[in-house]
Amino acid sequence: MSASSITAEPDFFQHSESRKSSLRAWGNRILSIICVGLSLLTLIPLISILFLLIKNGLPLLSWNVFTELPPAAGMVGGGFGNAVVGTLIMVGLGLVFSAPIGILSAIYVNEYSPYGRLANTVRFVAKLLTGIPSIICGVFAFAVIVATTNSFSAWAGGVALAVLMLPTMLLTSEQALLGVQNAYREASYGLGATKFQTIARVVLPDALPAIMTGVMLAVARAAGETAPLIFTALFSQYWAKSLNEPTASLSVLIFNFATVPFPHQIQMAWTASLVLVALVTIANVTAQLVFTKKH
Amino acid sequence: MSEAIKTANSDEIQEFRTGTDFFRILCWVAAVAAVATLAWIITEIVQSSWPAMQKFGFEFLTNSSWQPNRERFGVAPFIIGTAVSSFIAILLACPLGIAIAIFLSEDFLPLPVRQTVRFVVEMLAAIPSVVYGLWGIFVVIPIIQVFGTWATQHWGNIPLFAGPAYGNSMLTASVVLAIMILPTITAIARSALVAVPKTLREGAYALGATRWEAILGVILPSAAPGVVAGTILGLGRAMGETMAVAMLIGNSSRLTWSILSPAGTLAGLLANQFGEAEGLQISSLMYAALILVILTLCVNMAGEWVLRYFQKKTAGIR
């Protein structure tokens, strides 16, 4: 009797266990399906955006849109050549202002006094600056330049973009310098090089591709921004003649044309979006390629 | 000959000494300038908002009328709008972001599929805000309008869904915001999940846990601070997001309970009114900007703090 109960027990035990475990297996499977489903759900907005960009943007895309001025309200034809030029000018200005400060302070933070109080403050401030809304960069440039010169200008737009680009530039440059092996520095010192020689001839050349990645990422981010430009550079119907007057940009053109009731303008907004997304993607991909070439 | 070498050397050293010092000073100046930028931004905004601060004081925060022609300014509706729109966006994006982060850190589907999803999420981060706005006008607004009319018919007695339903509404802006902050949440949550030591997972499997028992019982809890940090930083992004919101939310300063009616946010207010503002209105907008800066700085600092705390904690496990 005792023998039979011993043989019966594992049987019963196994049975209930297998039922329970099949329930667990099903729960497991269902959660997996939910998780995969939710992840694939994210494909929908991107596919929708890309599809509409191509469907609505491609018909108007031709060489003319890069050489002609924006059409007036309700008019047909034209392009956004001045906006492309304006975007390039202001991103360029932003780069000229922010790159030296960003890269040099990254060198100070990583090479001269990595554990100093100033270095820690710089890192902290850079983190805070990344979190500042882009429109605040515009507010700042408005207060500093537009309010004092009493005119909207490419300078103001450039300064706003520079503030926006600075933290990206600084943090990625610091990461780039951090990626340079210490053995290189020691070897350089061992050969009798000074600190400056080490930085200029060993550290910077090695870190350059990664620094360029940061620069390209900052450019990509700045090119797509509208909020810092909307009340600093404003917009212009004409080609940029000087940096002291309102300047058109692609992103502000999209904003202006998206909210008017004219079909042609709206279609032009899609075309401009297509060009803008292409520009940003090219900048991003270049950044990735430059980076992967190194590692 | 040895003398020649000596002089050349000392000359060179002299040259590089001054060069070194000069370069060090240059870098120091740049570092100070980077720090000064933040200080400059804040002092400039405080200075410009001074007249409005003196006139309205803290009533500015609680007053709910924004009438430039009568010089009456209060940002209560916009503060509430900022908070509510980012809260709904987080509510929508958080489960999705965590699900994608789990999906990316597990091996449900082969690596190429996961890489594609990761690429898609990164791509979502690269699309400019204004393009989201344009897409929202032509895709999300019609969908929300259909949903809104249905919701007001069926759930109309709930204040949140009270009619009439508009296309340019709080809900539209929040849905687009959710898509925009998804990459932030996903990226940080994913790196938190990946950072969980393998031994914990192996331990859970060894005790007989299924995959999801391990994920929900062991991996997710130990990555929780990182996931929370990602959510907080996503919240910070949502609060500061401007163009897409300005194009979709309807920019109304009327306070309602319904998420189907137009609302406004601080960032949207700035985007809409700065270009044509004058006098006290500029000052009041600067005051609003200051509130936005303080709010986002607080949220982001909280996020960074949680992230740092998490990194310290996991450093102890390894």
Side-chain angles (χ1 to χ4, degrees):
Chain A
M1 189 201 150
S2 72
S4 75
S5 83
I6 286 171
T7 49
E9 239 177 43
D11 229 340
F12 172 74
F13 183 71
Q14 239 171 27
H15 181 66
S16 90
E17 179 68 358
S18 78
R19 260 178 73 183
K20 205 177 149 198
S21 72
S22 86
L23 202 75
R24 287 168 67 206
W26 270 106
N28 199 35
R29 215 163 291 165
I30 288 167
L31 280 174
S32 296
I33 290 168
I34 291 174
C35 182
V36 172
L38 285 178
S39 306
L40 298 182
L41 205 66
T42 50
L43 294 170
I44 295 172
L46 187 76
I47 291 170
S48 164
I49 292 173
L50 293 182
F51 173 75
L52 286 176
L53 278 178
I54 291 168
K55 184 184 155 236
N56 298 335
L58 216 47
L60 271 187
L61 190 65
S62 67
W63 187 243
N64 288 347
V65 296
F66 294 103
T67 57
E68 285 175 30
L69 291 171
M75 302 296 274
V76 177
F80 40 74
N82 62 341
V84 176
V85 173
T87 294
L88 294 179
I89 289 175
M90 286 186 284
V91 171
L93 280 178
L95 199 60
V96 168
F97 292 139
S98 65
I101 297 180
I103 295 171
L104 287 178
S105 45
I107 292 174
Y108 183 83
V109 164
N110 201 56
E111 303 297 321
Y112 280 112
S113 90
Y115 308 109
R117 189 186 282 173
L118 179 61
N120 283 331
T121 317
V122 169
R123 287 192 196 102
F124 183 65
V125 165
K127 280 270 166 66
L128 290 185
L129 278 176
T130 23
I132 276 191
S134 61
I135 192 152
I136 297 300
C137 304
V139 171
F140 169 68
F142 181 91
V144 172
I145 296 180
V146 178
T148 50
T149 60
N150 267 322
S151 132
F152 301 101
S153 62
W155 285 116
V159 167
L161 291 184
V163 175
L164 184 90
M165 293 160 97
L166 179 63
T168 316
M169 207 86 87
L170 206 167
L171 291 172
T172 48
S173 299
E174 201 214 337
Q175 284 303 314
L177 294 170
L178 214 56
V180 177
Q181 288 180 19
N182 247 339
Y184 289 4
R185 295 188 184 92
E186 282 155 13
S188 172
Y189 293 141
L191 290 171
T194 61
K195 185 108 192 170
F196 175 69
Q197 285 172 313
T198 306
I199 292 172
R201 301 203 187 154
V202 178
V203 176
L204 275 184
D206 193 50
L208 200 61
I211 291 178
M212 287 310 292
T213 303
V215 170
M216 288 312 286
L217 286 177
V219 165
R221 208 190 142 198
E225 279 291 349
T226 317
L229 300 180
I230 195 163
F231 47 77
T232 52
L234 214 67
F235 192 73
S236 158
Q237 291 288 335
Y238 310 103
W239 293 99
K241 285 195 202 69
S242 87
L243 297 176
N244 294 319
E245 53 186 41
T247 307
S249 58
L250 267 180
S251 49
V252 176
L253 177 124
I254 297 168
F255 176 66
N256 287 347
F257 280 7
T259 44
V260 296
F262 310 111
H264 180 72
Q265 263 77 350
I266 288 171
Q267 202 171 16
M268 193 150 272
W270 281 106
T271 310
S273 298
L274 183 65
V275 171
L276 187 61
V277 169
L279 272 179
V280 171
T281 311
I282 288 170
N284 270 323
V285 168
T286 322
Q288 306 283 340
L289 287 183
V290 171
F291 186 65
T292 44
K293 208 183 258 177
K294 190 193 165 209
H295 295 278
Chain B
M1 189 190 152
S2 75
E3 255 187 35
I5 289 172
K6 229 182 194 169
T7 47
N9 259 354
S10 68
D11 269 351
E12 250 177 38
I13 287 170
Q14 200 60 42
E15 193 191 312
F16 282 120
R17 281 269 159 75
T18 53
T20 309
D21 282 341
F22 175 69
F23 190 65
R24 190 196 168 105
I25 290 167
L26 196 69
C27 291
W28 183 83
V29 168
V32 170
V35 174
T37 308
L38 183 65
W40 192 10
I41 291 173
I42 290 172
T43 48
E44 196 70 42
I45 294 176
V46 169
Q47 215 176 9
S48 312
S49 63
W50 196 246
M53 273 189 199
Q54 279 188 321
K55 181 147 190 214
F56 304 115
F58 285 109
E59 248 175 60
F60 191 70
L61 304 177
T62 52
N63 190 350
S64 64
S65 75
W66 183 275
Q67 295 166 306
N69 45 354
R70 292 194 201 166
E71 297 218 322
R72 264 205 239 147
F73 299 103
V75 287
F78 301 104
I79 294 178
I80 294 169
T82 302
V84 172
S85 62
S86 15
F87 178 71
I88 300 175
I90 283 290
L91 225 53
L92 295 172
C94 203
L96 219 53
I98 294 171
I100 300 168
I102 292 173
F103 173 79
L104 291 177
S105 62
E106 296 281 323
D107 53 349
F108 296 119
L109 292 179
L111 192 63
V113 182
R114 277 182 282 150
Q115 275 171 338
T116 313
V117 171
R118 198 176 163 188
F119 173 75
V120 165
V121 175
E122 277 170 14
M123 189 79 194
L124 282 176
I127 290 178
S129 176
V130 72
V131 177
Y132 275 109
L134 184 67
W135 176 72
I137 289 175
F138 292 97
V139 177
V140 183
I141 282 183
I143 294 173
I144 296 291
Q145 240 159 1
V146 172
F147 169 78
T149 31
W150 182 85
T152 44
Q153 276 163 10
H154 292 79
W155 306 328
N157 44 4
I158 306 172
L160 277 183
F161 297 102
Y166 291 88
N168 286 70
S169 65
M170 177 71 92
L171 187 60
T172 313
S174 304
V175 167
V176 175
L177 267 183
I179 299 170
M180 294 178 75
I181 61 173
L182 198 59
T184 311
I185 298 179
T186 307
I188 299 170
R190 184 189 154 272
S191 58
L193 287 173
V194 171
V196 174
K198 273 217 170 76
T199 45
L200 288 184
R201 175 194 295 264
E202 283 158 7
Y205 285 159
L207 290 172
T210 62
R211 182 203 288 269
W212 277 94
E213 282 163 357
I215 293 173
L216 297 176
V218 176
I219 298 167
L220 212 50
S222 45
V227 176
V228 171
T231 311
I232 297 175
L233 292 175
L235 181 70
R237 262 212 72 186
M239 282 165 48
E241 194 46 66
T242 311
M243 294 324 293
V245 173
M247 291 163 87
L248 298 171
I249 203 166
N251 302 302
S252 150
S253 62
R254 215 162 52 87
L255 269 176
T256 62
W257 279 102
S258 174
I259 58 170
L260 297 171
S261 43
T265 66
L266 286 170
L269 175 76
L270 298 177
N272 278 315
Q273 304 210 342
F274 238 115
E276 287 124 28
E278 276 177 352
L280 192 61
Q281 192 182 359
I282 289 186
S283 183
S284 303
L285 287 170
M286 288 286 181
Y287 198 173
L290 183 67
I291 295 164
L292 181 62
V293 170
I294 292 171
L295 285 177
T296 47
L297 280 186
C298 288
V299 168
N300 281 310
M301 271 200 272
E304 290 292 340
W305 184 78
V306 173
L307 205 59
R308 201 169 291 178
Y309 166 79
F310 169 67
Q311 275 159 356
K312 258 185 208 156
K313 208 180 118 196
T314 46
I317 298 176
R318 249 169 277 166

